[in-house]
Amino acid sequence: QVQLVESGGGLVQAGGSLRLSCAASGRTVSSSRMGWFRQAPGKEREFVAAIRRSAITTYYADSVKGRFTISRDNAKNTVNLQMNTLKPEDTAVYYCAAGFAPLRATVTSPREYDYWGQGTQVTVSS
């Protein structure tokens, strides 16, 4: 079992920055792909960013590319999401996820992740 706990959410003005962190416990996540997803009220959960276990290969949704950066520290069992130039449309609950099973399709699919955190709220005011 893996427990994921997100932190770092909050209220920020448009153009500001936040850094989300995801701490894993119960099992090392160094061999897993890690992802960030978000869900706004009334919308489906959507992919934000992912990072392979090597920490070299990263993926981003087009809507956040160039503004968000995902990183991981396997020694600390953590994954971070640096969010810059935030926009009101970035407002959502952000979830951290870990996937251990062999990838079957694409890292952008929630089905490729086995464990999820409880989420952290990010609110961007205009």
mmCIF file with all atom_site columns, all heavy atoms in Angstrom, residues 55-72:
data_model
loop_
_atom_site.group_PDB
_atom_site.id
_atom_site.type_symbol
_atom_site.label_atom_id
_atom_site.label_alt_id
_atom_site.label_comp_id
_atom_site.label_asym_id
_atom_site.label_entity_id
_atom_site.label_seq_id
_atom_site.pdbx_PDB_ins_code
_atom_site.Cartn_x
_atom_site.Cartn_y
_atom_site.Cartn_z
_atom_site.occupancy
_atom_site.B_iso_or_equiv
_atom_site.pdbx_formal_charge
_atom_site.auth_seq_id
_atom_site.auth_comp_id
_atom_site.auth_asym_id
_atom_site.auth_atom_id
_atom_site.pdbx_PDB_model_num
ATOM 1   N N   . ALA A 1 55 ? 12.990 10.138 -13.882 1.00 0.00 ? 55 ALA A N   1
ATOM 2   C CA  . ALA A 1 55 ? 12.975 11.581 -13.616 1.00 0.00 ? 55 ALA A CA  1
ATOM 3   C C   . ALA A 1 55 ? 13.466 12.383 -14.800 1.00 0.00 ? 55 ALA A C   1
ATOM 4   O O   . ALA A 1 55 ? 13.613 13.606 -14.711 1.00 0.00 ? 55 ALA A O   1
ATOM 5   C CB  . ALA A 1 55 ? 13.777 11.936 -12.370 1.00 0.00 ? 55 ALA A CB  1
ATOM 6   N N   . ILE A 1 56 ? 13.730 11.726 -15.912 1.00 0.00 ? 56 ILE A N   1
ATOM 7   C CA  . ILE A 1 56 ? 14.213 12.426 -17.093 1.00 0.00 ? 56 ILE A CA  1
ATOM 8   C C   . ILE A 1 56 ? 13.057 12.757 -18.029 1.00 0.00 ? 56 ILE A C   1
ATOM 9   O O   . ILE A 1 56 ? 12.990 13.848 -18.600 1.00 0.00 ? 56 ILE A O   1
ATOM 10  C CB  . ILE A 1 56 ? 15.274 11.582 -17.828 1.00 0.00 ? 56 ILE A CB  1
ATOM 11  C CG1 . ILE A 1 56 ? 16.493 11.371 -16.929 1.00 0.00 ? 56 ILE A CG1 1
ATOM 12  C CG2 . ILE A 1 56 ? 15.656 12.226 -19.154 1.00 0.00 ? 56 ILE A CG2 1
ATOM 13  C CD1 . ILE A 1 56 ? 17.531 10.452 -17.515 1.00 0.00 ? 56 ILE A CD1 1
ATOM 14  N N   . THR A 1 57 ? 12.160 11.823 -18.179 1.00 0.00 ? 57 THR A N   1
ATOM 15  C CA  . THR A 1 57 ? 11.050 11.998 -19.115 1.00 0.00 ? 57 THR A CA  1
ATOM 16  C C   . THR A 1 57 ? 9.843  12.577 -18.393 1.00 0.00 ? 57 THR A C   1
ATOM 17  O O   . THR A 1 57 ? 9.385  12.027 -17.395 1.00 0.00 ? 57 THR A O   1
ATOM 18  C CB  . THR A 1 57 ? 10.663 10.656 -19.746 1.00 0.00 ? 57 THR A CB  1
ATOM 19  O OG1 . THR A 1 57 ? 11.823 10.074 -20.352 1.00 0.00 ? 57 THR A OG1 1
ATOM 20  C CG2 . THR A 1 57 ? 9.594  10.864 -20.799 1.00 0.00 ? 57 THR A CG2 1
ATOM 21  N N   . THR A 1 58 ? 9.366  13.691 -18.908 1.00 0.00 ? 58 THR A N   1
ATOM 22  C CA  . THR A 1 58 ? 8.196  14.351 -18.335 1.00 0.00 ? 58 THR A CA  1
ATOM 23  C C   . THR A 1 58 ? 7.154  14.607 -19.408 1.00 0.00 ? 58 THR A C   1
ATOM 24  O O   . THR A 1 58 ? 7.470  14.647 -20.603 1.00 0.00 ? 58 THR A O   1
ATOM 25  C CB  . THR A 1 58 ? 8.583  15.686 -17.671 1.00 0.00 ? 58 THR A CB  1
ATOM 26  O OG1 . THR A 1 58 ? 9.218  16.528 -18.646 1.00 0.00 ? 58 THR A OG1 1
ATOM 27  C CG2 . THR A 1 58 ? 9.526  15.465 -16.501 1.00 0.00 ? 58 THR A CG2 1
ATOM 28  N N   . TYR A 1 59 ? 5.930  14.777 -18.956 1.00 0.00 ? 59 TYR A N   1
ATOM 29  C CA  . TYR A 1 59 ? 4.804  15.002 -19.848 1.00 0.00 ? 59 TYR A CA  1
ATOM 30  C C   . TYR A 1 59 ? 3.953  16.124 -19.260 1.00 0.00 ? 59 TYR A C   1
ATOM 31  O O   . TYR A 1 59 ? 3.796  16.206 -18.031 1.00 0.00 ? 59 TYR A O   1
ATOM 32  C CB  . TYR A 1 59 ? 3.947  13.743 -19.977 1.00 0.00 ? 59 TYR A CB  1
ATOM 33  C CG  . TYR A 1 59 ? 4.697  12.499 -20.346 1.00 0.00 ? 59 TYR A CG  1
ATOM 34  C CD1 . TYR A 1 59 ? 5.372  11.768 -19.379 1.00 0.00 ? 59 TYR A CD1 1
ATOM 35  C CD2 . TYR A 1 59 ? 4.735  12.040 -21.666 1.00 0.00 ? 59 TYR A CD2 1
ATOM 36  C CE1 . TYR A 1 59 ? 6.065  10.607 -19.712 1.00 0.00 ? 59 TYR A CE1 1
ATOM 37  C CE2 . TYR A 1 59 ? 5.414  10.876 -22.006 1.00 0.00 ? 59 TYR A CE2 1
ATOM 38  C CZ  . TYR A 1 59 ? 6.080  10.176 -21.024 1.00 0.00 ? 59 TYR A CZ  1
ATOM 39  O OH  . TYR A 1 59 ? 6.766  9.033  -21.347 1.00 0.00 ? 59 TYR A OH  1
ATOM 40  N N   . TYR A 1 60 ? 3.358  16.926 -20.134 1.00 0.00 ? 60 TYR A N   1
ATOM 41  C CA  . TYR A 1 60 ? 2.521  18.028 -19.667 1.00 0.00 ? 60 TYR A CA  1
ATOM 42  C C   . TYR A 1 60 ? 1.289  18.167 -20.557 1.00 0.00 ? 60 TYR A C   1
ATOM 43  O O   . TYR A 1 60 ? 1.347  17.934 -21.759 1.00 0.00 ? 60 TYR A O   1
ATOM 44  C CB  . TYR A 1 60 ? 3.294  19.348 -19.703 1.00 0.00 ? 60 TYR A CB  1
ATOM 45  C CG  . TYR A 1 60 ? 4.482  19.391 -18.763 1.00 0.00 ? 60 TYR A CG  1
ATOM 46  C CD1 . TYR A 1 60 ? 5.754  19.074 -19.204 1.00 0.00 ? 60 TYR A CD1 1
ATOM 47  C CD2 . TYR A 1 60 ? 4.297  19.732 -17.420 1.00 0.00 ? 60 TYR A CD2 1
ATOM 48  C CE1 . TYR A 1 60 ? 6.836  19.092 -18.330 1.00 0.00 ? 60 TYR A CE1 1
ATOM 49  C CE2 . TYR A 1 60 ? 5.381  19.765 -16.549 1.00 0.00 ? 60 TYR A CE2 1
ATOM 50  C CZ  . TYR A 1 60 ? 6.641  19.442 -17.010 1.00 0.00 ? 60 TYR A CZ  1
ATOM 51  O OH  . TYR A 1 60 ? 7.706  19.461 -16.148 1.00 0.00 ? 60 TYR A OH  1
ATOM 52  N N   . ALA A 1 61 ? 0.211  18.564 -19.933 1.00 0.00 ? 61 ALA A N   1
ATOM 53  C CA  . ALA A 1 61 ? -0.963 18.955 -20.700 1.00 0.00 ? 61 ALA A CA  1
ATOM 54  C C   . ALA A 1 61 ? -0.632 20.247 -21.437 1.00 0.00 ? 61 ALA A C   1
ATOM 55  O O   . ALA A 1 61 ? 0.139  21.084 -20.939 1.00 0.00 ? 61 ALA A O   1
ATOM 56  C CB  . ALA A 1 61 ? -2.152 19.165 -19.767 1.00 0.00 ? 61 ALA A CB  1
ATOM 57  N N   . ASP A 1 62 ? -1.203 20.413 -22.608 1.00 0.00 ? 62 ASP A N   1
ATOM 58  C CA  . ASP A 1 62 ? -0.926 21.612 -23.394 1.00 0.00 ? 62 ASP A CA  1
ATOM 59  C C   . ASP A 1 62 ? -1.274 22.884 -22.619 1.00 0.00 ? 62 ASP A C   1
ATOM 60  O O   . ASP A 1 62 ? -0.607 23.906 -22.773 1.00 0.00 ? 62 ASP A O   1
ATOM 61  C CB  . ASP A 1 62 ? -1.721 21.575 -24.701 1.00 0.00 ? 62 ASP A CB  1
ATOM 62  C CG  . ASP A 1 62 ? -1.170 20.546 -25.683 1.00 0.00 ? 62 ASP A CG  1
ATOM 63  O OD1 . ASP A 1 62 ? -0.009 20.118 -25.513 1.00 0.00 ? 62 ASP A OD1 1
ATOM 64  O OD2 . ASP A 1 62 ? -1.908 20.169 -26.608 1.00 0.00 ? 62 ASP A OD2 1
ATOM 65  N N   . SER A 1 63 ? -2.274 22.801 -21.798 1.00 0.00 ? 63 SER A N   1
ATOM 66  C CA  . SER A 1 63 ? -2.750 23.985 -21.077 1.00 0.00 ? 63 SER A CA  1
ATOM 67  C C   . SER A 1 63 ? -1.765 24.480 -20.020 1.00 0.00 ? 63 SER A C   1
ATOM 68  O O   . SER A 1 63 ? -1.864 25.624 -19.577 1.00 0.00 ? 63 SER A O   1
ATOM 69  C CB  . SER A 1 63 ? -4.098 23.691 -20.413 1.00 0.00 ? 63 SER A CB  1
ATOM 70  O OG  . SER A 1 63 ? -3.976 22.599 -19.523 1.00 0.00 ? 63 SER A OG  1
ATOM 71  N N   . VAL A 1 64 ? -0.819 23.634 -19.610 1.00 0.00 ? 64 VAL A N   1
ATOM 72  C CA  . VAL A 1 64 ? 0.134  24.039 -18.568 1.00 0.00 ? 64 VAL A CA  1
ATOM 73  C C   . VAL A 1 64 ? 1.569  24.045 -19.050 1.00 0.00 ? 64 VAL A C   1
ATOM 74  O O   . VAL A 1 64 ? 2.465  24.473 -18.311 1.00 0.00 ? 64 VAL A O   1
ATOM 75  C CB  . VAL A 1 64 ? 0.015  23.131 -17.324 1.00 0.00 ? 64 VAL A CB  1
ATOM 76  C CG1 . VAL A 1 64 ? -1.420 23.061 -16.842 1.00 0.00 ? 64 VAL A CG1 1
ATOM 77  C CG2 . VAL A 1 64 ? 0.565  21.740 -17.603 1.00 0.00 ? 64 VAL A CG2 1
ATOM 78  N N   . LYS A 1 65 ? 1.786  23.599 -20.261 1.00 0.00 ? 65 LYS A N   1
ATOM 79  C CA  . LYS A 1 65 ? 3.144  23.506 -20.795 1.00 0.00 ? 65 LYS A CA  1
ATOM 80  C C   . LYS A 1 65 ? 3.797  24.887 -20.786 1.00 0.00 ? 65 LYS A C   1
ATOM 81  O O   . LYS A 1 65 ? 3.210  25.877 -21.206 1.00 0.00 ? 65 LYS A O   1
ATOM 82  C CB  . LYS A 1 65 ? 3.090  22.935 -22.210 1.00 0.00 ? 65 LYS A CB  1
ATOM 83  C CG  . LYS A 1 65 ? 4.382  22.307 -22.698 1.00 0.00 ? 65 LYS A CG  1
ATOM 84  C CD  . LYS A 1 65 ? 4.146  21.565 -24.010 1.00 0.00 ? 65 LYS A CD  1
ATOM 85  C CE  . LYS A 1 65 ? 3.264  20.356 -23.816 1.00 0.00 ? 65 LYS A CE  1
ATOM 86  N NZ  . LYS A 1 65 ? 3.073  19.583 -25.074 1.00 0.00 ? 65 LYS A NZ  1
ATOM 87  N N   . GLY A 1 66 ? 5.017  24.933 -20.291 1.00 0.00 ? 66 GLY A N   1
ATOM 88  C CA  . GLY A 1 66 ? 5.746  26.191 -20.204 1.00 0.00 ? 66 GLY A CA  1
ATOM 89  C C   . GLY A 1 66 ? 5.503  26.955 -18.919 1.00 0.00 ? 66 GLY A C   1
ATOM 90  O O   . GLY A 1 66 ? 6.225  27.915 -18.615 1.00 0.00 ? 66 GLY A O   1
ATOM 91  N N   . ARG A 1 67 ? 4.479  26.552 -18.166 1.00 0.00 ? 67 ARG A N   1
ATOM 92  C CA  . ARG A 1 67 ? 4.164  27.235 -16.906 1.00 0.00 ? 67 ARG A CA  1
ATOM 93  C C   . ARG A 1 67 ? 4.394  26.332 -15.696 1.00 0.00 ? 67 ARG A C   1
ATOM 94  O O   . ARG A 1 67 ? 4.765  26.806 -14.623 1.00 0.00 ? 67 ARG A O   1
ATOM 95  C CB  . ARG A 1 67 ? 2.714  27.702 -16.909 1.00 0.00 ? 67 ARG A CB  1
ATOM 96  C CG  . ARG A 1 67 ? 2.382  28.684 -18.013 1.00 0.00 ? 67 ARG A CG  1
ATOM 97  C CD  . ARG A 1 67 ? 0.966  29.252 -17.845 1.00 0.00 ? 67 ARG A CD  1
ATOM 98  N NE  . ARG A 1 67 ? -0.066 28.229 -17.928 1.00 0.00 ? 67 ARG A NE  1
ATOM 99  C CZ  . ARG A 1 67 ? -0.956 27.989 -16.965 1.00 0.00 ? 67 ARG A CZ  1
ATOM 100 N NH1 . ARG A 1 67 ? -0.935 28.690 -15.854 1.00 0.00 ? 67 ARG A NH1 1
ATOM 101 N NH2 . ARG A 1 67 ? -1.882 27.048 -17.131 1.00 0.00 ? 67 ARG A NH2 1
ATOM 102 N N   . PHE A 1 68 ? 4.135  25.048 -15.855 1.00 0.00 ? 68 PHE A N   1
ATOM 103 C CA  . PHE A 1 68 ? 4.269  24.091 -14.757 1.00 0.00 ? 68 PHE A CA  1
ATOM 104 C C   . PHE A 1 68 ? 5.492  23.213 -14.990 1.00 0.00 ? 68 PHE A C   1
ATOM 105 O O   . PHE A 1 68 ? 5.841  22.898 -16.124 1.00 0.00 ? 68 PHE A O   1
ATOM 106 C CB  . PHE A 1 68 ? 3.040  23.189 -14.669 1.00 0.00 ? 68 PHE A CB  1
ATOM 107 C CG  . PHE A 1 68 ? 1.775  23.863 -14.221 1.00 0.00 ? 68 PHE A CG  1
ATOM 108 C CD1 . PHE A 1 68 ? 1.669  25.248 -14.125 1.00 0.00 ? 68 PHE A CD1 1
ATOM 109 C CD2 . PHE A 1 68 ? 0.663  23.098 -13.885 1.00 0.00 ? 68 PHE A CD2 1
ATOM 110 C CE1 . PHE A 1 68 ? 0.511  25.862 -13.712 1.00 0.00 ? 68 PHE A CE1 1
ATOM 111 C CE2 . PHE A 1 68 ? -0.513 23.691 -13.473 1.00 0.00 ? 68 PHE A CE2 1
ATOM 112 C CZ  . PHE A 1 68 ? -0.591 25.074 -13.390 1.00 0.00 ? 68 PHE A CZ  1
ATOM 113 N N   . THR A 1 69 ? 6.116  22.791 -13.884 1.00 0.00 ? 69 THR A N   1
ATOM 114 C CA  . THR A 1 69 ? 7.250  21.890 -13.945 1.00 0.00 ? 69 THR A CA  1
ATOM 115 C C   . THR A 1 69 ? 7.100  20.801 -12.899 1.00 0.00 ? 69 THR A C   1
ATOM 116 O O   . THR A 1 69 ? 6.923  21.096 -11.709 1.00 0.00 ? 69 THR A O   1
ATOM 117 C CB  . THR A 1 69 ? 8.570  22.634 -13.703 1.00 0.00 ? 69 THR A CB  1
ATOM 118 O OG1 . THR A 1 69 ? 8.720  23.684 -14.667 1.00 0.00 ? 69 THR A OG1 1
ATOM 119 C CG2 . THR A 1 69 ? 9.758  21.678 -13.829 1.00 0.00 ? 69 THR A CG2 1
ATOM 120 N N   . ILE A 1 70 ? 7.158  19.559 -13.351 1.00 0.00 ? 70 ILE A N   1
ATOM 121 C CA  . ILE A 1 70 ? 7.085  18.424 -12.434 1.00 0.00 ? 70 ILE A CA  1
ATOM 122 C C   . ILE A 1 70 ? 8.494  17.912 -12.171 1.00 0.00 ? 70 ILE A C   1
ATOM 123 O O   . ILE A 1 70 ? 9.343  17.894 -13.071 1.00 0.00 ? 70 ILE A O   1
ATOM 124 C CB  . ILE A 1 70 ? 6.182  17.309 -13.001 1.00 0.00 ? 70 ILE A CB  1
ATOM 125 C CG1 . ILE A 1 70 ? 5.944  16.218 -11.959 1.00 0.00 ? 70 ILE A CG1 1
ATOM 126 C CG2 . ILE A 1 70 ? 6.748  16.732 -14.300 1.00 0.00 ? 70 ILE A CG2 1
ATOM 127 C CD1 . ILE A 1 70 ? 4.880  15.194 -12.378 1.00 0.00 ? 70 ILE A CD1 1
ATOM 128 N N   . SER A 1 71 ? 8.719  17.523 -10.936 1.00 0.00 ? 71 SER A N   1
ATOM 129 C CA  . SER A 1 71 ? 10.025 16.981 -10.572 1.00 0.00 ? 71 SER A CA  1
ATOM 130 C C   . SER A 1 71 ? 9.832  15.930 -9.488  1.00 0.00 ? 71 SER A C   1
ATOM 131 O O   . SER A 1 71 ? 8.773  15.887 -8.851  1.00 0.00 ? 71 SER A O   1
ATOM 132 C CB  . SER A 1 71 ? 10.965 18.089 -10.080 1.00 0.00 ? 71 SER A CB  1
ATOM 133 O OG  . SER A 1 71 ? 10.444 18.714 -8.923  1.00 0.00 ? 71 SER A OG  1
ATOM 134 N N   . ARG A 1 72 ? 10.846 15.126 -9.288  1.00 0.00 ? 72 ARG A N   1
ATOM 135 C CA  . ARG A 1 72 ? 10.747 14.106 -8.244  1.00 0.00 ? 72 ARG A CA  1
ATOM 136 C C   . ARG A 1 72 ? 12.089 13.965 -7.535  1.00 0.00 ? 72 ARG A C   1
ATOM 137 O O   . ARG A 1 72 ? 13.142 14.201 -8.127  1.00 0.00 ? 72 ARG A O   1
ATOM 138 C CB  . ARG A 1 72 ? 10.301 12.762 -8.822  1.00 0.00 ? 72 ARG A CB  1
ATOM 139 C CG  . ARG A 1 72 ? 11.294 12.086 -9.748  1.00 0.00 ? 72 ARG A CG  1
ATOM 140 C CD  . ARG A 1 72 ? 10.661 10.877 -10.435 1.00 0.00 ? 72 ARG A CD  1
ATOM 141 N NE  . ARG A 1 72 ? 10.199 9.884  -9.472  1.00 0.00 ? 72 ARG A NE  1
ATOM 142 C CZ  . ARG A 1 72 ? 9.335  8.902  -9.776  1.00 0.00 ? 72 ARG A CZ  1
ATOM 143 N NH1 . ARG A 1 72 ? 8.853  8.803  -10.997 1.00 0.00 ? 72 ARG A NH1 1
ATOM 144 N NH2 . ARG A 1 72 ? 8.981  8.037  -8.859  1.00 0.00 ? 72 ARG A NH2 1
#
